[in-house]
């Protein structure tokens, strides 16, 4: 298993258990959590850039107009994704949020085929079809349009596409992304202070957790940014089923959100699809080794 696969899996496992962290901070308004997340992520990335001696690459990327603009736009895209996810978790919609990240691999695979001209063989298309049926049934089971799910799926799909389309060190790209939105976050926090809406009266533990949002945000993004450049985008999409599965389990077991027959059917379809996709990847890799 190569480094790209391992780092991508690591990122998805971290994202999968992240609802526990946001639930711990639920006494803080979602907008303030997001602002803290952006500011502390930016400061953490600055430290990482200094530690890895990547200032020159960071400066070069900022001076390159197309690269700078692409990743600054990515900063606003991922910030929208962060806000919707935090809001969903802290308002009892962990399962609907996990549906978004079940849909996202399908978005990633479609983008892989349409944008990067990656091809899928027959077994992989069957796997995609099975997963699509599961997601469709789960979507229809809600009885209303799951806007949280589709916002999360589309924003993260396009975020990953930019990462893949413009290869750049994950530390440098995340530095540009957070730089783009940190002024907005600081203005928002300043406004909250002026209007006396800032959550100052929280416990010291909560303040420490707010400071920690920089690490829990940046670390999986760094791993994802590296992994997305090393492996096919279609594989990036399929590995992402790890995160929503963990979140789904957390939502049901820890926070007692409803788990209906629709969820059971979709869960079965998606993991059956993962089995087909993984088995096919193993067979293809084995044949390639035999040809060498």
């Amino acid at each position: 298993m190569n480094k790209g696969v391992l780092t991508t899996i690591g990122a998805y496992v971290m994202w999968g258990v992240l609802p526990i962290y946001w639930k711990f901070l639920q006494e803080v308004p979602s907008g303030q959590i997001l602002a803290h997340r952006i500011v502390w992520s930016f400061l953490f990335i600055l430290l990482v850039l200094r530690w890895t001696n990547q200032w020159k690459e960071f400066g070069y990327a900022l001076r390159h107009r197309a690269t700078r603009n692409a990743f600054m736009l990515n900063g606003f895209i991922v910030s929208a994704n962060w806000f919707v996810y935090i809001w969903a978790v802290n308002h009892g919609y962990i399962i609907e949020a996990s549906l978004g990240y079940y849909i996202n691999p399908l978005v990633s695979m479609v983008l892989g085929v349409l944008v990067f001209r990656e091809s899928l063989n027959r077994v992989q298309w069957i796997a995609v079809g099975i997963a699509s049926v599961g997601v469709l049934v789960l979507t229809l089971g809600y009885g209303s349009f799951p806007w949280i799910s589709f916002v999360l799926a589309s924003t993260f799909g396009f975020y990953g596409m930019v990462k893949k389309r413009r290869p750049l060190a994950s530390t440098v790209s995340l530095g540009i992304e957070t730089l783009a939105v940190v002024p907005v976050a600081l203005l928002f926090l300043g406004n909250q202070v002026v209007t006396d809406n800032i959550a100052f009266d929280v416990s010291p533990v909560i303040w420490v957790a707010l400071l920690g949002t920089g690490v829990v945000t940046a670390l999986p993004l760094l791993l994802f940014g590296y992994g997305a450049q090393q492996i096919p985008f279609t594989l990036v999409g399929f590995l992402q089923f790890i995160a929503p599965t963990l979140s789904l389990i957390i939502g049901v077991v820890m926070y007692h959100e409803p788990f209906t027959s629709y969820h059971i059917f979709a869960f079965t379809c998606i993991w059956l699809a993962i089995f087909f996709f993984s088995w096919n990847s193993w067979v293809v890799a084995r044949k390639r080794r035999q040809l060498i």
Side-chain angles (χ1 to χ4, degrees):
M1 192 177 293
N2 63 41
K3 289 182 179 179
V5 174
L6 287 174
T7 53
T8 305
I9 290 174
Y12 288 145
V13 170
M14 290 181 191
W15 278 323
V17 300
L18 209 49
I20 300 172
Y21 200 92
W22 303 134
K23 275 289 189 183
F24 181 72
L25 289 171
Q26 65 182 341
E27 64 183 274
V28 181
S30 299
Q32 291 182 30
I33 295 175
L34 174 64
H36 278 284
R37 189 178 188 183
I38 291 169
V39 171
W40 299 120
S41 296
F42 177 64
L43 294 177
F44 177 73
I45 288 299
L46 290 183
L47 292 175
V48 175
L49 286 169
R50 177 70 179 87
W51 182 56
T52 57
N53 197 27
Q54 290 182 297
W55 283 113
K56 184 181 293 185
E57 293 89 340
F58 183 62
Y60 177 77
L62 283 175
R63 290 191 297 271
H64 191 276
R65 183 177 179 181
T67 299
R68 182 186 67 242
N69 291 346
F71 284 102
M72 282 193 164
L73 175 62
N74 233 20
F76 286 95
I77 292 173
V78 78
S79 295
N81 180 279
W82 291 348
F83 176 76
V84 172
Y85 189 73
I86 293 169
W87 184 92
V89 168
N90 288 342
H91 286 78
Y93 295 101
I94 294 177
I95 291 179
E96 188 170 338
S98 72
L99 172 59
Y101 290 110
Y102 274 130
I103 297 172
N104 177 253
L106 306 178
V107 174
S108 297
M109 283 182 280
V110 169
L111 291 174
V113 172
L114 296 180
V115 178
F116 300 108
R117 298 293 187 265
E118 296 175 1
S119 59
L120 299 177
N121 60 35
R122 184 186 303 174
V123 175
Q124 290 172 325
W125 277 116
I126 291 173
V128 171
I130 294 172
S132 299
V133 169
V135 170
L136 179 62
V137 168
L138 191 54
T139 301
L140 295 175
Y142 272 104
S144 61
F145 183 74
W147 67 269
I148 293 172
S149 305
F150 279 88
V151 169
L152 292 175
S154 58
T155 51
F156 201 77
F158 282 99
Y159 176 78
M161 185 188 71
V162 174
K163 290 282 192 183
K164 182 73 174 178
R165 196 178 185 89
R166 289 188 173 274
L168 194 64
S170 56
T171 312
V172 175
S173 62
L174 187 54
I176 298 173
E177 290 162 2
T178 51
L179 175 63
V181 291
V182 77
V184 180
L186 289 172
L187 285 172
F188 175 79
L189 288 174
N191 175 263
Q192 294 292 288
V193 171
V194 171
T195 57
D196 200 29
N197 289 319
I198 195 76
F200 276 130
D201 57 341
V202 295
S203 68
V205 176
I206 295 296
W207 272 109
V208 172
L210 287 171
L211 294 176
T213 57
V215 177
V216 301
T217 296
L219 190 55
L221 283 172
L222 290 173
L223 294 175
F224 175 78
Y226 173 83
Q229 296 178 27
Q230 304 298 317
I231 61 178
F233 203 58
T234 47
L235 180 56
V236 171
F238 236 88
L239 288 176
Q240 189 165 350
F241 283 125
I242 295 169
T245 299
L246 290 174
S247 296
L248 183 64
I249 293 170
I250 288 169
V252 173
V253 175
M254 293 186 64
Y255 302 113
H256 310 294
E257 292 189 13
F259 190 65
T260 67
S261 57
Y262 293 107
H263 293 102
I264 295 172
F265 179 82
F267 189 84
T268 303
C269 285
I270 288 166
W271 277 101
L272 183 62
I274 292 172
F275 168 78
F276 277 117
F277 194 91
S278 302
W279 172 77
N280 178 78
S281 298
W282 178 78
V283 170
V284 171
R286 186 180 180 185
K287 288 180 178 178
R288 286 176 179 171
R289 286 195 299 268
Q290 290 173 348
L291 293 174
I292 296 176

